[in-house]
Amino acid sequence: MRQAPTAETAAPRRHDREILSLALPAFGALVAEPLFVMADSAIVGHLGTAQLAGLGVAAALLTTAVSVFVFLAYATTAAVARRVGAGDLRAAIRQGMDGIWLALLLGVVVVAVVLPAAPSLIGLFGASDTVAPYAVTYLRISALGIPAMLMVLAATGVIRGLQDTRTPLYVAIGGFALNGALNLALVYGAGLGIAGSAWGTVLAQCGMAAVYLCVVVRGARRHGASLRPDTAGIRACAQAGLPLLVRTLSLRAILMIATAVAARLGDADIAAHQIALSLWSLLAFALDAIAIAGQAIIGRYLGAGDTEGARAVCGRMVRWGMGSGVVLGLLVVLARPVFVPLFTGDPVVVDALLPALLVVALAQPVCGVVFVLDGVLMGAGDGPYLARAMLLTLAVFTPAALLVPVLGGGLTALWWAMTLMMVVRMATLQLRARSGRWLVAGATR
């Protein structure tokens, strides 16, 4: 006879359903975003090598500029989810609107800086005289879409905070399809070349922002929330996002230091490093989906005053993160013979890459725990601690990475330093999670 589920088994199953219902659509949306640049690269690549190189330089700058402001999504998700948990949907949407207004203001400032500075920014990358004009053209046009890109980040945070990750998935898929169609039409149909690709991306991002705004405005009208900018609310969003900005900049610094060290190791090592880093970033998308679910769920539990529920679902998500990391690590090891030839056929690069990939694979369970706890503490609004922890991690990683070439280490040693970085992050996050200091209940932290 089949036994009825007990309280001990029913709660984990309920948490699993919550996590999966948010994480799976979030994963789809995360994977869809990088496809924008891939589609642009595929289309522009047929115009010529100089155009493709120009796109690469400009896209790197744009990606960096936008990723720095990812706190617009993270902070908004946590703040909105808390108010949802407290049962105040009107305040939740009002909070979301403050985040969107902040995104618009930041976007306007970034555009004002990038447009006149585009040639100088491209010059920092050492682009050749042949490549630079294409890069400047793409950067200046694409920069016009930055306000829309940042509004998409903030609006995504609003929707996730409302416990909806399906809408961001649908919008991301629609935006990718529109971007591809517009690029083909403008690059080849209208004969605009690389400028057409940039305009296609701008229009697609504006379309995505418009869809999100329609969703948020409809919710605001339904619940009687004001759409007007509120100075105090915008200031509060900026204050909540500042620690997460510090966290993000510290992480970007770690990745830049790793790339700089790899470049000093030799051409084969930097090539292998880029392949390993690309794979590491792809795996991060899968693990980050659980973190996004954590932001939304933890915020809702704490907003409802259920600290024990928040602690329980945190533990469940850590198990999901570690288990996912084990599976991804095994996939990296087993699939090496399949995907490595897709990136390179140079035996020297392959020799440098294979042992580094083993380190990447071994680190995945650690990465799984780190991503989950990162999302949990973001959902709890524990940004100041996350900023301090990441600064400590940067302080530990920097000398370890810089010693690699000094001590004669190769790429594998560098990736052990990257693993050390993740272990330090895991230690700091686990200490905080076990302390319970992040379990601050209420509609606001």
Side-chain angles (χ1 to χ4, degrees):
M1 180 181 294
R2 186 177 180 180
Q3 293 183 339
T6 64
E8 289 78 8
T9 60
R13 290 178 184 176
R14 185 179 73 253
H15 294 327
D16 289 345
R17 287 194 297 270
E18 282 184 308
I19 295 166
L20 288 174
S21 67
L22 293 175
L24 291 178
F27 173 68
L30 288 169
V31 171
E33 286 298 324
L35 295 179
F36 270 83
V37 176
M38 290 180 64
D40 289 0
S41 299
I43 293 170
V44 171
H46 291 285
L47 294 174
T49 301
Q51 289 90 332
L52 181 58
L55 169 65
V57 173
L61 281 166
L62 284 167
T63 301
T64 300
V66 174
S67 65
V68 163
F69 297 107
V70 74
F71 70 84
L72 290 166
Y74 294 159
T76 305
T77 297
V80 171
R82 274 186 175 268
R83 286 162 175 79
V84 169
D88 193 347
L89 289 177
R90 181 174 179 272
I93 295 175
R94 174 65 261 181
Q95 177 77 38
M97 284 304 306
D98 292 335
I100 292 173
W101 279 111
L102 175 62
L104 178 60
L105 291 173
L106 290 173
V108 171
V109 172
V110 173
V111 172
V113 172
V114 170
L115 287 181
S120 299
L121 292 172
I122 297 300
L124 291 175
F125 276 72
S128 68
D129 293 339
T130 304
V131 169
Y134 294 113
V136 170
T137 296
Y138 189 91
L139 180 60
R140 278 182 166 159
I141 296 173
S142 295
L144 299 176
I146 288 177
M149 294 178 193
L150 299 189
M151 290 172 72
V152 165
L153 283 177
T156 300
V158 178
I159 304 301
R160 288 173 179 167
L162 294 171
Q163 314 299 297
D164 175 12
T165 55
R166 292 183 181 274
T167 297
L169 171 61
Y170 300 147
V171 174
I173 292 173
F176 169 69
L178 179 61
N179 178 68
L182 287 172
N183 269 259
L184 287 172
L186 296 175
V187 171
Y188 298 115
L192 296 179
I194 195 171
S197 177
W199 279 117
T201 300
V202 169
L203 293 173
Q205 291 288 346
C206 289
M208 293 172 66
V211 171
Y212 275 126
L213 287 176
C214 287
V215 173
V216 175
V217 168
R218 187 168 62 244
R221 289 175 176 171
R222 184 184 307 122
H223 298 286
S226 174
L227 298 173
R228 295 179 179 178
D230 177 68
T231 304
I234 294 172
R235 187 184 303 114
C237 286
Q239 290 173 345
L242 183 59
L244 295 181
L245 175 61
V246 173
R247 167 201 167 276
T248 301
L249 289 174
S250 300
L251 181 56
R252 297 296 300 183
I254 287 171
L255 297 179
M256 289 175 64
I257 290 170
T259 300
V261 170
R264 293 177 62 186
L265 297 175
D267 292 347
D269 289 287
I270 184 60
H273 174 73
Q274 287 304 114
I275 296 172
L277 188 60
S278 297
L279 177 64
W280 189 75
S281 300
L282 178 62
L283 297 173
F285 283 124
L287 298 173
D288 204 30
I290 306 173
I292 288 172
Q295 293 171 28
I297 295 172
I298 293 295
R300 192 187 79 234
Y301 271 84
L302 292 179
D306 187 359
T307 55
E308 287 305 312
R311 187 188 294 274
V313 77
C314 170
R316 197 65 183 172
M317 280 188 286
V318 168
R319 294 186 185 92
W320 271 97
M322 183 175 294
S324 299
V326 170
V327 172
L328 291 175
L330 289 173
L331 285 175
V332 170
V333 173
L334 296 175
R336 283 185 307 162
V338 177
F339 67 78
V340 168
L342 297 177
F343 289 96
T344 181
D346 188 333
V348 180
V349 175
V350 172
D351 287 343
L353 177 61
L354 291 180
L357 287 180
L358 287 176
V359 179
V360 171
L362 289 171
Q364 289 313 297
V366 175
C367 294
V369 175
V370 168
F371 276 94
V372 166
L373 290 178
D374 208 37
V376 165
L377 296 184
M378 283 183 191
D382 207 12
Y385 180 83
L386 290 173
R388 294 193 299 271
M390 189 58 78
L391 287 172
L392 173 63
T393 303
L394 175 61
V396 173
F397 171 77
T398 301
L402 295 179
L403 281 172
V404 168
V406 174
L407 299 177
L411 184 64
T412 303
L414 175 60
W415 274 95
W416 277 119
M418 290 284 286
T419 302
L420 171 65
M421 177 267 293
M422 295 304 293
V423 169
V424 172
R425 288 186 69 187
M426 183 176 69
T428 58
L429 295 174
Q430 283 185 324
L431 283 173
R432 188 64 166 184
R434 291 173 180 172
S435 73
R437 294 178 182 176
W438 57 280
L439 291 166
V440 179
T444 58
R445 182 178 171 89

